[in-house]
Amino acid sequence: MPQQLQWTDAEARLFLQAIKTVGTAGGVLSLESITLEMMEAIQRHVLHSSVDLESLEIRHPPDYPALITDRSKREQLIQILVLIPYVDMNVDPRMVGVVDDFASFLEIAPQTLQDLHQVRDNHLRRLLLDYGRRSMGEFLGLDTPSRFVRGVITAVHQAIGDASIASRYATLSTFDEGTLGHTFFHWYRDRGWALPGEHKSTSELLVNHDCCHILGGFNTDSAGEMNVAAFQAGLFTDGFGFESLLEVILDFHLGKAFSTSNSIIPPKTGQFIPDAAMAGYEKGLACSVNLIQDLDFWTVADQPVAELRATYNIPATPGPLLIKP
């Protein structure tokens, strides 16, 4: 599991200077207010520092290899820098060029950087195909041809209707109030969703994602989807979580209808709120289990959500246990 890295004050300043350098395209552009909000959120939830942002000067990529040598810190820095061109909703090629320079000098080239290039060049259909292929393995566990075929067959079968699967999930209504299972059942019913195995269900493939919503305390509106995606970005060690965050940013911040449909979940713009998203990311980093890949729902369905949050080291979540849609 990823862990919250410990950045020194000097390193935190370098991190924030890098964000400012990207956000201004190396000093060419004015810093947008939302980019400043992003810097404040990063400082609060990632760096845990108190750098005076008003006094920051830009600092160019060639300075960084000698100053940030830890590879994990380099990776986190680049993943955050990749987000910056999206934040002001423009994906300015000049900003992308500065991100490329940082990645080159720090010798870090995550998949999200290639995704950024695809967005810059408006190759969204190609990106969707590539992302879909990777998500089958990383997000849904369908990482071999045989598993993929079985997964698709199972999903179609459950969407048509599988009485045995549906009846098992229906028993969750009898679980004690406050347990993951009871909360899961009413989470679905409150939203008018079909349980796995019921006609027109999304099958069991999204159960763990929905558990991230419940355990992390995120709603299912566009803001909640944005913040749970940021939470998931903190769960993955290989950077794939940042790809899932990118997907939601394209849908609900840039309004690109990347993976949404107007008839199901309409795309929106301006839904990336830096502080809320980075708070979600901080929760994901704190979590001791990759809930997407490693949670066994039926093993813990009878356990209280509050206890599971403590077990998995998920920070306390204000508000009701069962969030209403």
Side-chain angles (χ1 to χ4, degrees):
M1 284 294 302
Q3 294 181 343
Q4 183 69 273
L5 301 174
Q6 301 301 310
W7 293 81
T8 67
D9 289 344
E11 290 172 333
R13 186 175 186 85
L14 287 166
F15 197 124
L16 294 164
Q17 285 178 299
I19 296 177
K20 186 171 184 177
T21 302
V22 172
T24 61
V28 173
L29 305 172
S30 298
L31 191 70
E32 297 287 342
S33 60
I34 193 171
T35 307
L36 181 59
E37 288 179 33
M38 184 67 167
M39 294 169 68
E40 293 169 345
I42 292 296
Q43 175 150 248
R44 182 176 301 112
H45 299 291
V46 178
L47 302 173
H48 302 118
S49 61
S50 56
V51 175
D52 178 9
L53 299 182
E54 296 296 330
S55 69
L56 283 178
E57 297 178 350
I58 63 173
R59 190 152 191 174
H60 295 288
D63 292 346
Y64 279 73
L67 299 172
I68 299 181
T69 58
D70 182 272
R71 185 170 182 83
S72 295
K73 290 182 176 179
R74 289 184 176 192
E75 289 174 346
Q76 186 176 55
L77 172 60
I78 295 300
Q79 290 287 16
I80 296 297
L81 292 184
V82 167
L83 296 178
I84 302 306
Y86 297 106
V87 169
D88 70 359
M89 301 168 60
N90 290 318
V91 192
D92 190 306
R94 292 169 292 183
M95 290 189 192
V96 177
V98 178
V99 177
D100 285 338
D101 288 343
F102 273 105
S104 177
F105 277 101
L106 291 175
E107 300 181 319
I108 301 293
Q111 180 61 50
T112 48
L113 183 61
Q114 299 178 46
D115 297 345
L116 177 61
H117 295 162
Q118 300 270 43
V119 176
R120 174 198 62 195
D121 298 335
N122 202 31
H123 293 160
L124 294 187
R125 181 167 295 183
R126 184 185 306 169
L127 173 57
L128 179 58
L129 291 173
D130 291 344
Y131 170 78
R133 173 178 50 80
R134 290 189 295 274
S135 68
M136 288 297 172
E138 295 270 9
F139 197 76
L140 302 179
L142 308 179
D143 52 359
T144 66
S146 60
R147 285 182 178 178
F148 175 78
V149 171
R150 289 198 301 271
V152 170
I153 292 173
T154 299
V156 171
H157 178 70
Q158 291 186 12
I160 293 171
D162 185 321
S164 63
I165 297 294
S167 63
R168 188 182 189 196
Y169 279 90
T171 65
L172 295 173
S173 65
T174 67
F175 283 35
D176 290 343
E177 185 174 354
T179 61
L180 179 60
H182 185 273
T183 306
F184 183 94
F185 177 87
H186 289 284
W187 184 273
Y188 271 58
R189 287 294 184 249
D190 287 350
R191 287 159 176 77
W193 295 350
L195 289 164
E198 294 180 339
H199 182 54
K200 295 185 177 181
S201 74
T202 56
S203 81
E204 295 176 285
L205 291 176
L206 294 182
V207 166
N208 283 14
H209 170 73
D210 292 327
C211 288
C212 285
H213 276 279
I214 294 168
L215 292 169
F218 305 104
N219 210 333
T220 51
D221 54 6
S222 55
E225 293 296 343
M226 182 73 70
N227 299 334
V228 79
F231 173 79
Q232 290 168 179
L235 298 179
F236 284 80
T237 57
D238 61 2
F240 178 76
F242 277 95
E243 285 200 75
S244 67
L245 175 57
L246 164 64
E247 173 206 351
V248 182
I249 286 174
L250 289 173
D251 285 330
F252 298 129
H253 190 55
L254 273 65
K256 294 287 189 181
F258 176 64
S259 62
T260 60
S261 166
N262 283 313
S263 62
I264 302 174
I265 308 176
K268 293 185 178 181
T269 57
Q271 297 298 299
F272 182 84
I273 308 302
D275 191 71
M278 290 301 99
Y281 177 56
E282 183 180 28
K283 278 187 179 182
L285 287 174
C287 186
S288 60
V289 174
N290 185 329
L291 299 175
I292 293 296
Q293 294 182 329
D294 301 325
L295 180 70
D296 185 339
F297 174 74
W298 286 103
T299 298
V300 298
D302 62 346
Q303 296 182 31
V305 169
E307 291 183 11
L308 289 173
R309 287 173 174 169
T311 298
Y312 298 147
N313 203 37
I314 299 173
T317 300
L321 177 64
L322 181 59
I323 299 173
K324 297 300 181 180

